[in-house]
Amino acid sequence: MKIIGVIPARYRSSRFPGKPLADICGRPMIWWVYQQCLKVPRLDGLYVATDDERIRETCAQYQMDVIMTSDAHKTGSDRVGEVASKIEGDLFINIQGDEPLINPREIDEVIDIFDDPTVDFGTLRIQITDPDEIKAYSTVKVVCDKNGDALYFSRNVIPSNKKDGPIARVFRHVGIYAYRRDLLLKFVAMPQTELESGEGIEPLRAMENGHKVRVRETRYQSIGVDYPEHIQLVEEEIKRRGCSGMKGWIS
């Protein structure tokens, strides 16, 4: 199985314009993400997918493979789908470009989901217990059936745990997606659905069209960069680990 990693990167962001090029310890954020992904031996190719010339030039400067894509895409999955239409591959991994501390083992874990030949779409989840994180609208929650297939994703608290009795665990969705090529090309041809638009969560499009999403539990966490103030948290963690170039740095 030929496995391709894709890091969607757009310059225009309402919360943090130019985020992929934000400076982190002297290097652009997209560089840090790319370096961690290079530590996954099973990736047969790794590309930044962007519609912005500034990002393309930065990728060229740092010898990162880049594919230019349309500026009309509404989601990262749609951008990955354009890459899948241009290059050969059996499995495409959508890697978030705003997680410079991503653990390579997360990528391995989502690849492992596809040991089951019936799975076409896979992602990860991690249990959360912090009440503030559980309530946070920015935290995407997911509930699954006994087979590990997603029942629903939401920014609201699910399960609600409103009744007396045992408390159900709450899981945060870890934003890495993997799709077999055939499913991905079908997915990007589908119109955005009502639930996807309402929640702002991409896999709901597949689920509303009858496709299952397999969700594996992980224990790895990283620091995502949603706002400029998160850069300091990432830099502090990099300095704590004493690594400026990330060689050999896994967790």
Side-chain angles (χ1 to χ4, degrees):
M1 184 164 61
K2 186 175 182 180
I3 304 172
I4 306 296
V6 183
I7 308 170
R10 64 190 184 99
Y11 194 90
R12 297 187 299 276
S13 169
S14 58
R15 292 184 295 184
F16 191 170
K19 181 162 61 170
L21 303 185
D23 183 272
I24 297 178
C25 296
R27 300 289 179 96
M29 178 159 58
I30 195 71
W31 179 88
W32 293 92
V33 179
Y34 197 93
Q35 295 306 305
Q36 286 298 84
C37 295
L38 288 176
K39 297 174 184 175
V40 182
R42 285 189 285 177
L43 289 182
D44 298 295
L46 177 63
Y47 301 89
V48 174
T50 187
D51 59 4
D52 192 273
E53 185 63 25
R54 289 162 290 191
I55 295 174
R56 188 202 67 77
E57 291 176 355
T58 298
C59 289
Q61 177 185 351
Y62 288 100
Q63 291 79 53
M64 297 185 287
D65 290 332
V66 61
I67 293 179
M68 295 299 291
T69 54
S70 168
D71 62 359
H73 295 307
K74 295 182 178 179
T75 72
S77 293
D78 294 307
R79 199 173 300 281
V80 176
E82 182 177 343
V83 173
S85 72
K86 293 179 175 180
I87 66 173
E88 291 298 319
D90 301 301
L91 186 67
F92 286 80
I93 316 296
N94 180 347
I95 302 159
Q96 299 296 315
D98 59 1
E99 294 204 6
L101 301 178
I102 186 171
N103 193 310
R105 295 191 181 103
E106 289 181 44
I107 301 172
D108 276 324
E109 285 183 334
V110 80
I111 293 172
D112 287 341
I113 294 173
F114 293 83
D115 289 343
D116 182 340
T118 68
V119 175
D120 293 317
F121 195 149
T123 189
L124 301 175
R125 64 175 178 165
I126 189 168
Q127 185 178 354
I128 52 176
T129 57
D130 182 335
D132 290 334
E133 185 176 4
I134 289 173
K135 295 175 184 176
Y137 179 77
S138 59
T139 301
V140 174
K141 276 71 72 173
V142 59
V143 291
C144 300
D145 65 18
K146 291 184 177 181
N147 296 319
D149 292 324
L151 293 170
Y152 195 63
F153 294 82
S154 181
R155 297 181 184 278
N156 290 315
V157 181
I158 53 171
S160 63
N161 284 318
K162 293 298 184 183
K163 292 188 176 183
D164 295 334
I167 299 297
R169 293 181 296 166
V170 180
F171 288 89
R172 174 173 63 83
H173 173 230
V174 177
I176 180 172
Y177 302 117
Y179 344 66
R180 295 192 195 273
R181 184 174 188 270
D182 288 348
L183 184 277
L184 176 57
L185 295 180
K186 291 178 183 176
F187 175 84
V188 299
M190 300 171 186
Q192 283 194 305
T193 55
E194 181 178 355
L195 292 178
E196 179 193 7
S197 298
E199 294 277 10
I201 302 170
E202 297 163 41
L204 290 172
R205 187 192 318 177
M207 294 168 64
E208 284 187 82
N209 282 280
H211 297 279
K212 292 185 177 182
V213 178
R214 181 65 52 83
V215 187
R216 174 172 173 162
E217 187 172 352
T218 183
R219 63 183 178 88
Y220 301 111
Q221 299 191 67
S222 63
I223 302 174
V225 177
D226 292 321
Y227 299 99
E229 54 265 32
H230 295 154
I231 294 291
Q232 181 179 350
L233 298 176
V234 173
E235 290 187 326
E236 288 173 355
E237 180 62 15
I238 291 173
K239 292 172 183 177
R240 186 188 70 80
R241 299 182 192 190
C243 184
S244 59
M246 297 173 76
K247 291 182 179 179
W249 183 30
I250 296 294
S251 61

